[in-house]
């Protein structure tokens, strides 16, 4: 990300008493995140960190990093990939946007910039710094969708030496908490064409797992 990139381990650099402030509320995490020195370039652009988190959320969607359209709109998954993901999950737009059901945590909460062949990858060290305090505040999460290779490398150590295709095909190995998925980008149509089992075998199970989590939330309303 050029001059705005931060090396691994550089996140969490805050000044004065902010460094010692406990990250035990959503507001505290957000304040610390925004004022993290590694995020200064984004702050200077007027960008807000793009994520949603709620103590009532049942499903965490961990993707890559927001694209420029989502960063600009301030709405996670506000693009064609989001529409496809909603279809895969078998939920409505209203359910997808409900903080009592879904939390959205990218491997970076800011658009990482543009590289030679597309968007740059999420910054190293970001998720390791900011995911734990947020997930600790969401005790009802029962299903975590790991979308794309970056999320799977971070959360599935046993899948580190496997391909994304292997992880998705063998998703039951990571049940009941994790569910690895390919990114729902329209650009992945060739992958789906090469792997027809994704539609016939994986998506029905994904919908069933999501339906169960949504049902648990509804039962407590």
């Amino acid at each position: 990300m050029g001059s705005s990139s931060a090396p691994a381990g550089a996140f969490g650099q805050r000044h004065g008493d902010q460094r010692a402030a406990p990250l035990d509320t959503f507001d505290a995490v957000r304040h610390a995140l925004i004022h993290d020195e590694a995020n200064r370039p984004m702050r200077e652009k007027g960008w807000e960190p793009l994520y949603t988190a709620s103590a009532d959320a049942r499903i965490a969607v961990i993707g890559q990093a927001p694209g420029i359209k989502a960063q600009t709109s301030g709405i996670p998954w506000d693009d064609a990939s989001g529409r496809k993901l909603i279809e895969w999950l078998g939920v409505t737009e209203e359910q997808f946007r409900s903080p009592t059901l879904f939390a959205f945590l990218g491997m970076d909460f800011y658009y990482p910039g543009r590289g030679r062949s597309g968007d740059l990858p999420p910054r190293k060290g970001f998720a390791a710094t900011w995911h734990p305090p947020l997930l600790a505040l969401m005790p009802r999460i029962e299903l975590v969708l790991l979308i794309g290779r970056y999320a799977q490398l971070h959360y599935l150590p046993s899948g580190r030496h496997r391909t994304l295709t292997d992880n998705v095909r063998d998703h039951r190995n990571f049940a009941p908490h994790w569910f690895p998925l390919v990114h729902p980008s329209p650009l992945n149509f060739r992958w789906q064409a090469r792997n027809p089992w994704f539609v016939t075998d994986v998506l029905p199970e994904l919908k069933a797992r999501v339906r169960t989590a949504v049902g648990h939330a509804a039962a407590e309303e």
Side-chain angles (χ1 to χ4, degrees):
M1 196 168 51
S3 61
S4 62
S5 293
F11 292 94
Q13 303 292 324
R14 303 189 293 280
H15 293 297
D17 59 3
Q18 291 184 40
R19 181 184 297 276
L23 303 180
D24 55 2
T25 68
F26 289 114
D27 286 344
V29 174
R30 187 174 185 86
H31 183 271
L33 194 162
I34 290 173
H35 292 89
D36 188 329
E37 284 299 294
N39 296 327
R40 179 191 292 271
M42 288 71 172
R43 190 168 67 247
E44 292 176 345
K45 291 178 182 179
W47 288 356
E48 294 287 328
L50 191 58
Y51 69 97
T52 64
S54 164
D56 295 323
R58 298 294 183 136
I59 302 169
V61 179
I62 300 182
Q64 298 180 171
I68 188 60
K69 181 179 179 182
Q71 182 71 70
T72 302
S73 72
I75 302 173
W77 294 93
D78 184 28
D79 53 18
S81 297
R83 292 190 291 275
K84 177 58 70 173
L85 180 58
I86 290 172
E87 178 185 324
W88 286 359
L89 300 178
V91 297
T92 65
E93 174 85 21
E94 181 180 8
Q95 289 174 315
F96 188 68
R97 300 296 175 191
S98 171
T100 64
L101 294 178
F102 287 91
F104 299 104
L105 307 179
M107 292 299 291
D108 198 328
F109 297 167
Y110 295 95
Y111 174 60
R114 186 77 177 173
R116 291 183 178 180
S117 59
D119 291 345
L120 292 171
R123 293 170 294 168
K124 292 181 180 179
F126 186 95
T129 300
W130 298 111
H131 282 195
L134 287 169
L135 289 170
L137 295 169
M138 295 189 283
R140 294 188 172 187
I141 293 291
E142 58 187 273
L143 177 63
V144 180
L145 309 181
L146 301 173
I147 300 179
R149 186 65 174 159
Y150 294 111
Q152 291 167 28
L153 283 173
H154 185 75
Y155 280 100
L156 301 177
S158 64
R160 181 171 295 277
H161 300 295
R162 297 158 54 91
T163 67
L164 179 145
T165 300
D166 288 337
N167 286 339
V168 175
R169 181 177 52 237
D170 300 333
H171 60 90
R172 293 182 184 87
N173 292 345
F174 309 106
H177 194 60
W178 313 104
F179 203 117
L181 289 170
V182 65
H183 196 281
S185 168
L187 298 178
N188 279 335
F189 69 93
R190 290 189 179 88
W191 183 93
Q192 293 186 51
R194 292 194 304 269
N195 300 284
W197 47 264
F198 178 72
V199 172
T200 58
D201 299 340
V202 177
L203 288 188
E205 188 155 345
L206 173 64
K207 287 182 171 67
R209 297 274 297 281
V210 169
R211 189 162 54 246
T212 296
V214 170
H216 290 164
E220 294 188 6
E221 289 182 351

